[in-house]
Amino acid sequence: ICSIFNEFYTNIAVNIGFQDDIPIDDGGNISLSDVLDAHNRHPSVINIRKHRNSMVTFNFSHVSVKQVFSILSKLDVKKATGFDDISAKILKLSAHSLAPVLTELINHCIDECIFPDSLKLAEVSSIFKKCDKLIKENYRPISVLTVISKVFEKVFAKQISSFFEHIFSPYLSAYRVNYGCHDVLFKLI
């Protein structure tokens, strides 16, 4: 059963949207110029460029101990722990000691342009949606990441969100802080 769900979940999005076939050389490396060229023609990128006035590029910047401490102190202790069994409560209680170490690690990752492979691992569970329980399409995957990976994610998400805030249309509410479905309805009305 696990193998069936694993095969289903890993291949479910293969034919969705833009074809993203990026050539990989014999050493398993991807050329950055090939990636940029492929995505320069993506319909979403073309549409964003139409509405963008300048060609400002995005770069992640170093994060401060204060920023990491703030993220650690706001962790939701009720969230599930990942495969490492380190709970949000432990990280929250030890925020003063962990913030400098995590800050150094995050800044190193920014300098090296990497995201640690161990933080990409997740526990995946199948959650039943509807109808017949014997049909795999009636289940959806839930991925539980480690709490530390969520700290990294919040650091990066804040920087990306603030960069795109002035680029996005004021009518776009998805994936934006303090925006929701009700904002779209207010604008429509």
Side-chain angles (χ1 to χ4, degrees):
I1 292 172
C2 290
S3 296
I4 291 169
F5 277 123
N6 186 48
E7 179 69 22
F8 175 64
Y9 292 148
T10 56
N11 293 310
I12 197 166
V14 169
N15 296 319
I16 295 176
F18 177 67
Q19 281 304 104
D20 199 10
D21 296 328
I22 309 240
I24 299 173
D25 67 17
D26 295 335
N29 299 314
I30 298 172
S31 165
L32 182 58
S33 61
D34 290 341
V35 173
L36 294 174
D37 289 344
H39 290 91
N40 277 333
R41 296 180 302 276
H42 190 281
S44 297
V45 172
I46 292 168
N47 200 20
I48 288 171
R49 280 206 182 105
K50 285 181 190 175
H51 297 89
R52 190 169 155 199
N53 296 333
S54 65
M55 292 302 289
V56 178
T57 58
F58 173 79
N59 290 306
F60 286 109
S61 57
H62 277 199
V63 65
S64 70
V65 174
K66 184 178 178 181
Q67 291 169 309
V68 174
F69 176 78
S70 174
I71 291 169
L72 286 169
S73 62
K74 293 177 185 172
L75 288 173
D76 185 353
V77 297
K78 296 177 185 170
K79 293 285 183 178
T81 61
F83 70 92
D84 62 359
D85 287 330
I86 299 173
S87 70
K89 186 173 185 175
I90 297 277
L91 293 176
K92 191 172 185 174
L93 290 172
S94 57
H96 280 291
S97 300
L98 286 177
V101 176
L102 280 177
T103 301
E104 189 175 326
L105 186 59
I106 291 168
N107 288 335
H108 176 73
C109 290
I110 289 170
D111 290 341
E112 297 296 318
C113 296
I114 59 165
F115 190 84
D117 287 340
S118 60
L119 297 182
K120 298 175 188 176
L121 299 175
E123 288 183 346
V124 180
S125 299
S126 298
I127 305 298
F128 178 67
K129 291 189 297 186
K130 61 181 178 185
C131 302
D132 189 351
K133 290 186 177 190
L134 296 176
I135 299 175
K136 64 186 176 202
E137 288 81 7
N138 292 339
Y139 290 82
R140 64 184 172 101
I142 299 293
S143 301
V144 179
L145 297 165
T146 64
V147 180
I148 292 175
S149 74
K150 293 173 188 173
V151 173
F152 274 68
E153 180 184 324
K154 287 181 187 206
V155 166
F156 299 140
K158 282 183 181 184
Q159 291 187 24
I160 291 171
S161 294
S162 64
F163 176 80
F164 281 104
E165 191 60 35
H166 70 280
I167 296 172
F168 286 151
S169 163
Y171 299 105
L172 178 67
S173 294
Y175 308 109
R176 295 176 81 179
V177 177
N178 300 322
Y179 282 86
C181 296
H182 61 279
D183 293 295
V184 175
L185 290 173
F186 288 145
K187 288 173 184 165
L188 284 172
I189 291 172

